[in-house]
Structure formats: C-alpha cells, structure tokens
Amino acid sequence: MGVSMGTARAWVERWERQQERYAVDREERFTVIADVVEHVTAGRARPLLLDLGCGPGSLAARLAARFPHAEIVAADMDPLLLELGRTHHAGAARYVDTVIGEEGWTRALGLRRPLDAALSTTALHYLPEPALLRTYRSVASLLRPGGVLVNGDHFTPDATPCADLTAHVGRRRAERSGGRAPEDWRSWWDAAARDPELADLLDERSRRQATRAGCGGDGQITASRHAELLRRAGFAHVAPVWQFGDSTVLVAIMGETHGLPAPVRT
C-alpha cells in the first residue's frame, strides 16, 4: 500500500496549503513549539521527541530540520497520512501506526528511554475527555522529570461570547495573512479519493473509521479544562506560552521528582 515519491510530495504539499486555512499563524505556532523544545532539551546530545497525531509529518519535518540530532517518533492512526509522511519526510522520524488514547497505545511506540518532549498540533481535539485524560496520563508516564507536553490547537474559551470573539479574531487574522487556501480539508480528501494510487490506503482508512464510529470527541474541551486534565494526569505546571484568537500553544511540565521514589517521612 505504498505510494511513489512524486505522489507523496504532491499530496503533502497540498495538505500544507489547505492546513493554512485553519491554523492561525501556523508557521509561527510551529516555531513556538520548537522554541519550547529548544529550551527543554538544551545541553542534551540526542533528545527524544514524540509527535502525537503526526499526520503526514508536518511538525516532525520542521523539528528534524531544527534539531538534526534529535530522535523523533511520530504516531498516528491514519494509514494514508502516515504513508505520505513515511515517503515524503522519510528521514524526519520513525513513524508508528497506533490509536492514540486507546488502552495500551504506547506499547507500539517502542521507546527505550524517557521522552524529553511530547508534541501535538491540531490533533488531540478529536479525543473525548476520558480518552484525552488517559492520553495525558500515558504521556506523563513516558516523560523524564522536567520533560514537557506541548499541545498547539484551537481551544474554546469557557464563555460563549469569548469563544465567538476569539474565533472571529482568528478568522480575520487568517484572511489578512492570505490563509484562505483554495482547497479546504474536505475537498483535499475528496480529491485524494479520486487518485487511484491512494485507493488501497483510503480503503484501509475507511475500514478503520467504521470500526471506530462514535469514538471521537466534539472538539469543545476548553483550555482551562485541558489544564485541569493535565494536572490530574500528573503534570506539575501548565500554562499557555502563545495565543492568537483561539489558537493556543499550551505547555505542561513534569515535576522534577516525577518517576523518583517518594521521600521517606520520619
């Protein structure tokens, strides 16, 4: 079910253009996420990074370019997007097919040492709250003390009037930045469905979706609720480090004693 280099390149380039329609200041957000990684991994010869919901490797490729000595593991459950990433961004990461949030999903990652950082962009919003909390707990168990989880996504504010306002501000910024790509998410998938080279991968994608019908979230978990879930999962500190409209980069830091024996009280 592989694809040619030329096909992968063409579809990844189209993916990049259509994603600009949704992500406010997408490149700036990628840069901010990399800035967090830079700070957290300073002085580490070969940092270990996990890209959660990697799609066709957009974030992984940017991280690999900025941190050429990092080991990057990129995880997703979409067979088509994973294959596009494996082919077009082959050297950026080790790509893993796993369903993030399901019981035991981290075993497929094959990690042999603690993570320095787990990163995600516009991917975890599809998880319902119980699976999101389970994912946060799983990631917390994989991180070294002082490691971070970074989630860049659209987070709904707690109050509806604020949600309407932040969404409007984000849309207007995207329009001023030329972010109204001619192709949107749906039309990208519709066009992909007409490419015979992708047929087998799309069939597998449809089969998986059928088995997971009704398992997705509604994308309406607020930033404050995300922060609460992260703290419940064991993260010591949670804060936004960048925001425009409802597009936010949220960082959660493991305590320095995470994974160490509890102190003996006398």
Side-chain angles (χ1 to χ4, degrees):
M1 290 194 295
V3 297
S4 67
M5 289 288 291
T7 295
R9 181 179 65 253
W11 285 107
V12 169
E13 288 174 354
R14 287 178 68 166
W15 177 271
E16 292 287 332
R17 289 194 296 270
Q18 61 93 356
Q19 284 292 293
E20 292 172 1
R21 187 182 185 99
Y22 305 103
V24 179
D25 283 353
R26 185 170 182 254
E27 288 302 327
E28 176 66 14
R29 187 168 66 186
F30 282 139
T31 300
V32 168
I33 290 171
D35 288 343
V36 174
V37 173
E38 179 182 61
H39 179 78
V40 171
T41 64
R44 293 183 173 267
R46 186 164 170 76
L48 178 57
L49 313 177
L50 172 63
D51 181 359
L52 292 163
C54 64
S58 299
L59 175 60
R62 288 163 172 83
L63 291 171
R66 183 158 169 182
F67 307 104
H69 301 298
E71 178 185 352
I72 302 174
V73 179
D76 206 299
M77 66 177 180
D78 191 301
L80 173 59
L81 297 182
L82 276 171
E83 189 60 31
L84 293 178
R86 284 193 189 104
T87 305
H88 185 60
H89 296 304
R94 174 169 60 84
Y95 294 88
V96 177
D97 189 340
T98 189
V99 182
I100 296 167
E102 285 198 346
E103 294 289 349
W105 69 274
T106 60
R107 288 194 293 271
L109 301 177
L111 302 180
R112 298 181 180 277
R113 57 191 175 106
L115 290 168
D116 292 290
L119 317 146
S120 183
T121 57
T122 56
L124 300 183
H125 57 257
Y126 74 90
L127 294 175
E129 189 170 301
L132 183 63
L133 177 58
R134 188 162 57 244
T135 298
Y136 284 159
R137 283 175 170 158
S138 298
V139 172
S141 72
L142 299 175
L143 285 164
R144 64 167 172 82
V148 297
L149 186 151
V150 186
N151 189 4
D153 212 331
H154 297 273
F155 296 106
T156 304
D158 294 291
T160 299
C162 292
D164 293 341
L165 179 59
T166 58
H168 174 76
V169 168
R171 284 194 300 270
R172 295 296 288 162
R173 176 59 174 267
E175 291 166 2
R176 290 193 297 273
S177 302
R180 300 303 293 174
E183 185 171 59
D184 62 13
W185 187 88
R186 173 50 56 195
S187 61
W188 187 94
W189 284 104
D190 289 343
R194 297 191 292 271
D195 187 335
E197 193 173 345
L198 305 181
D200 289 345
L201 289 162
L202 286 164
D203 286 345
E204 174 62 16
R205 184 176 190 269
S206 296
R207 186 190 67 78
R208 295 186 186 189
Q209 287 182 327
T211 63
R212 292 185 52 77
C215 294
D218 59 8
Q220 298 301 307
I221 301 176
T222 65
S224 61
R225 183 59 175 162
H226 273 273
E228 181 181 342
L229 294 174
L230 285 161
R231 292 188 180 96
R232 284 175 58 187
F235 289 89
H237 310 283
V238 184
V241 296
W242 178 89
Q243 181 176 5
F244 198 100
D246 59 5
S247 183
T248 302
V249 175
L250 192 66
V251 177
I253 308 173
M254 292 306 308
E256 290 296 334
T257 59
H258 173 67
L260 301 179
V264 177
R265 299 188 182 277
T266 59

